[in-house]
Amino acid sequence: GASLILPLQPILVAAARRRLPESKLPAPFAVPLSIPPVLPPLTSEGTTDFYEITMREAEAEILPGRSTTIFGYNGITPGPTLSVRRGRTVVVRQINALPQRHPTLRYECTTSVHLHGNATPPQYDGWAEDLSAPGFFKDYIYPNDQNERTMWYHDHAVHHTAENTYMGLAGLYITDEGRNIPLPSGRYDVPLVVQDKIFDTDGQFLFDDDGQKELMGDVILVNGRPWPVLQVERRKYLFRILNASTSRAYRLALSTGEPFTFVSGDGGLMPAPQQDKTFRIGVAERYGVVIDFAKYPIGQQVVLRNLELKNNEEFPSTRQVMRFDVVSEAADLTRNEVPAVLKPGGGQDDPMALQPSQARRTRDWRFERRRGQWAINGLFWDPRRMDAAPGLNDVEIWRFDNHSGGWFHPVHVHLIDFKILDRNGRPPFPYERGPKDTVYVGEGEVVRLIGKFGPHAGKYMMHCHNVVHEDHEMMTNFEVGKGGPDPVTAAPPRPVS
Ligand code: C2O
Ligand code: CU
């Protein structure tokens, strides 16, 4: 009877969901790029701005003429952009109005919100088990006393970060970059949030992480639209590129073969601009990139391409990301420069000024596959276990060793900005020569970075930002403030190598 069949329905429904065939994917370069709206504060008082955001299920038109169920901050994805001023305290009330259970995956829709790129006091950092259930809210307080940078806020719920962010829980949080230098601004300063998705034949997001390995979509979205087009003038533009995908990394290039000019990394402006014709960008990395369209005649089309080969054979649609169409002369040529020095640096809290001789110790972190899951130093995530205890404001070198065969890991350290010292003993790529908080650790790579563990004491996470790996245990914790020996091995700190 019906009572026997009913409990099986979710399984049958899941099995019946099929990937939208390649022939049914939307045509590339058919929709205009949209820009996530900037959210005004609800109220302001003295030095504090108050915001309110509601996480809820909503419908979005992503595939032309079809409706997709998403989870959105204020019901949109990407969520609204918070554009804030340095020195002003920001309070964000995050209200969880999601359904009790995910519509198809059936987990409980609890959330935790992390502001990625911010030195946040630990109680507001989006600890994976600091969960708000549907019907509850949490007020997050951000001091905003760091330099200008492009950040993003996203879900960090334990074991469901991949599903929650995939459903749409991600948005930008920008402190004005380069206000005092003549970089492009206003409508010439454009965020590009790049993601990949799988749609099913009903036009719904299909979550397929290939047995907790990775999610590889065949539809590329920029700011929530498939392979969009941006009409540009003949002048320079600043693009703030964020890879907000679940697992996919990109190797971006322009179809014209012209180089990009890099002006910022995750933690803000680079000391000096750098150029390269291509760059790798793993999940959660941000680069500020200037493209000069004055090089091209009106009528030129410039495709932002993805050269990363992994899965491109399987999904040729992922070889392109979006297109820029040069349509007119520049209406405005102010702030059309990239100065030779962007940030003189050398300040107390500039990670680019840190030298290995300042480091108190080197810590080794090994990333590997273990029993079908993902481990750091042989261990899976345990919220009660602290694997490192840097003293407050200690400078440390962290060495990331990727021992997992054919897998890469974009590794994020909460709280700090760092400088990449070297990769396999060689200098970092030109575009990595700025402040970072996430580093691409490629297949067989060993990356060393240096950072200062402050300004807050407390418990923070470090993890792979392939959020499928993160959810399946490639995450660890460190506690700033106590100092002393490594709490797990009780081994004395290893001297700087
Ligand atoms: Cu972007 Cu721990 O997160
Ligand atoms: Cu990983």
Side-chain angles (χ1 to χ4, degrees), residues 114 116 152 154 156 412 414 463 465:
H114 172 52
H116 183 132
W152 62 307
H154 63 76
H156 217 301
H412 173 43
H414 283 225
H463 57 88
H465 221 298

Side-chain angles (χ1 to χ4, degrees), residues 231-446:
Q231 298 195 333
V232 294
E233 302 169 14
R234 294 188 63 236
R235 57 156 288 152
K236 292 189 179 74
Y237 282 69
L238 169 63
F239 296 102
R240 300 165 188 264
I241 306 180
L242 159 68
N243 178 357
S245 302
T246 307
S247 305
R248 182 183 287 281
Y250 304 79
R251 180 181 288 283
L252 299 178
L254 295 174
S255 57
T256 53
E258 289 288 333
F260 302 99
T261 303
F262 300 90
V263 296
S264 66
D266 309 325
L269 290 171
M270 304 168 101
Q274 301 285 338
Q275 291 211 324
D276 217 324
K277 287 188 174 177
T278 73
F279 64 106
R280 292 195 302 200
I281 181 167
V283 180
E285 287 187 289
R286 289 92 70 209
Y287 288 110
V289 174
V290 172
I291 301 177
D292 188 2
F293 297 106
K295 287 177 181 164
Y296 309 114
I298 289 172
Q300 173 95 42
Q301 297 176 333
V302 183
V303 176
L304 182 63
R305 295 168 61 197
N306 173 26
L307 310 180
E308 194 67 50
L309 287 178
K310 188 165 187 184
N311 290 59
N312 279 8
E313 278 71 36
E314 196 182 347
F315 305 125
S317 58
T318 63
R319 286 179 197 151
Q320 42 200 15
V321 174
M322 65 174 292
R323 197 175 74 194
F324 307 103
D325 289 1
V326 183
V327 297
S328 62
E329 294 299 335
D332 179 355
L333 277 170
T334 54
R335 300 181 64 95
N336 190 40
E337 287 165 51
V338 179
V341 175
L342 292 163
K343 201 177 175 190
Q348 261 279 302
D349 290 307
D350 181 3
M352 302 313 290
L354 294 175
Q355 298 303 325
S357 59
Q358 291 170 262
R360 291 188 62 124
R361 60 185 68 82
T362 293
R363 292 187 199 272
D364 292 300
W365 303 99
R366 195 178 147 105
F367 295 78
E368 61 202 343
R369 191 149 166 76
R370 208 181 176 93
R371 301 202 307 265
Q373 290 196 305
W374 306 94
I376 301 176
N377 285 354
L379 299 169
F380 296 136
W381 189 63
D382 177 341
R384 291 152 305 185
R385 196 189 70 234
M386 298 294 123
D387 286 337
L392 182 62
N393 293 321
D394 274 7
V395 175
E396 298 199 351
I397 293 171
W398 282 19
R399 186 176 176 276
F400 293 153
D401 183 353
N402 180 356
H403 245 268
S404 46
W407 297 88
F408 68 92
H409 306 289
V411 180
H412 173 43
V413 186
H414 283 225
L415 179 67
I416 64 161
D417 293 338
F418 54 74
K419 171 169 94 168
I420 301 174
L421 289 171
D422 45 43
R423 174 181 279 107
N424 291 349
R426 286 191 292 276
F429 296 113
Y431 50 89
E432 294 177 310
R433 295 177 195 164
K436 298 281 291 164
D437 59 40
T438 305
V439 61
Y440 192 113
V441 188
E443 294 85 344
E445 289 182 353
V446 176

